[in-house]
Amino acid sequence: MTTPIPAEDERLFAYPQDRSCPWQPSPGYRELGEGGPLHRVGLWDGKSIWMVTGHAQARRLLADPRMSADRSRDDFPAVLPRLDAPIFKPIAIIGFDPPVHDIHRRLLAPDFSLKQVRALRGSVEELAGRLVDDILRKGPPAELIEDYALPIPSMVISELLGVPYDDHAFFEAMTVGLLQAKSARDAEAAGQALWDYLDKLITVKEREPGGEGVLSRLVGQVDEDGDLTREDLVRIALALLIGGHDTTSQMIALGVVTLLEHPDQLAALRADPGVLPAAVDELLRMVSVTDVSGVRVATEDIEIDGHVIRAGEGVLVSSSMTNRDPEAFPDPYRFDVRRAGGHNVASGRHHLTFGFGIHQCLGQNLARMELEVAFAVLFDRIPELRLAVPLDRLPTRSGGTMQGVHTLPVEW
């Protein structure tokens, strides 16, 4: 049995590291991944954590009931300063273990089912079409995040939850403030503002029952002695609102950048629209906006591939690197929109961008549909689309696990 590398080893690889390319991980991650599937890395607070870069090992650990997702545990790792904020301890759905996790997920499953998402597709296509109409009416250049990539998921999640879209400027700004905060204090301030907003919104729905959306439906199921408390409902609303628009908007933006910078792959997509679902999964595999498939803490000692993860040690699964494991994806750094098509054994659908196991992303059906619609409508309506600034001048997000760009100027 191999003993883990001591946490106090000052030579530990520092996590996280910034990307130098919007669709590729840090060069340091690539070097790390070439050294094996599991690694000890150092965090901002001087502590260490296991970083998993192997695809098979990640699936095993994410499905292991001895790995806890409970962020309220004292030994749960905060991989960034902002994640040490109380607002994240815990966050609904992804931050609980069974049975609470299972109860929350069961309450929400009907609203994110494949059947429900298919029913929404027509309205999302109409929305994307109207946004492109506005872009063309104003003429070039356009700011693609503000004019297109953000409004699509923001409007969709607002309607789904029953959150007034008129408030979008507020909740979008607070979400960025929460997810890009440099400190726990700043994250808590933004998170508390969102909490207070949703708390007041739920109060209104309690006084005026019968409204549309997930929150109105769940208000009627609140039982302080049952499966859903009022605090649970606010936490669920917070998790869905945050997760329902920011990551998808950045995935649209970085997906557009990736396609424009690979004109042969964009041409293949235009030549065969049937490739679109495979192209979306390949973009999800390549871009990995969140850069993390899951963070866990071991509740017991776990032996895996000659290593021992001790009880109380944290584990971080790197989606950007597990999605580039050559054992799962041949030629993994190559962008290929047909990777998931046909009889390809290494289907792009095997990627871990949405996680794996019981905590796999609840909204993945919705996200895939929004991405398919966003790319199809945009490139069909504006075939001459191109970046308005060189790639190396895009104002990228940095210093964390959430990848993206602040603005995306385009022209045609």
Side-chain angles (χ1 to χ4, degrees), residues 26 37 69-70 211 268:
S26 158
D70 184 357

Side-chain angles (χ1 to χ4, degrees), residues 261-317:
E261 291 297 303
H262 295 82
D264 60 324
Q265 297 301 305
L266 179 55
L269 176 58
R270 284 173 167 157
D272 181 7
V275 171
L276 182 59
V280 165
D281 269 300
E282 177 70 344
L283 285 165
L284 286 164
R285 183 188 75 85
M286 287 289 290
V287 173
S288 300
V289 169
T290 61
D291 215 19
V292 175
S293 295
V295 179
R296 303 285 188 271
V297 61
T299 60
E300 302 175 20
D301 289 0
I302 299 173
E303 294 189 45
I304 180 169
D305 283 29
H307 297 280
V308 177
I309 300 173
R310 301 291 184 189
E313 291 184 337
V315 175
L316 178 151
V317 175

Side-chain angles (χ1 to χ4, degrees), residues 13 89 91 110 232 251 278 301 352 356 384:
F13 181 92
K89 300 180 179 181
I91 193 165
D232 289 338
M251 190 62 229
D301 289 0
L352 298 181
F356 186 74
E384 305 88 1

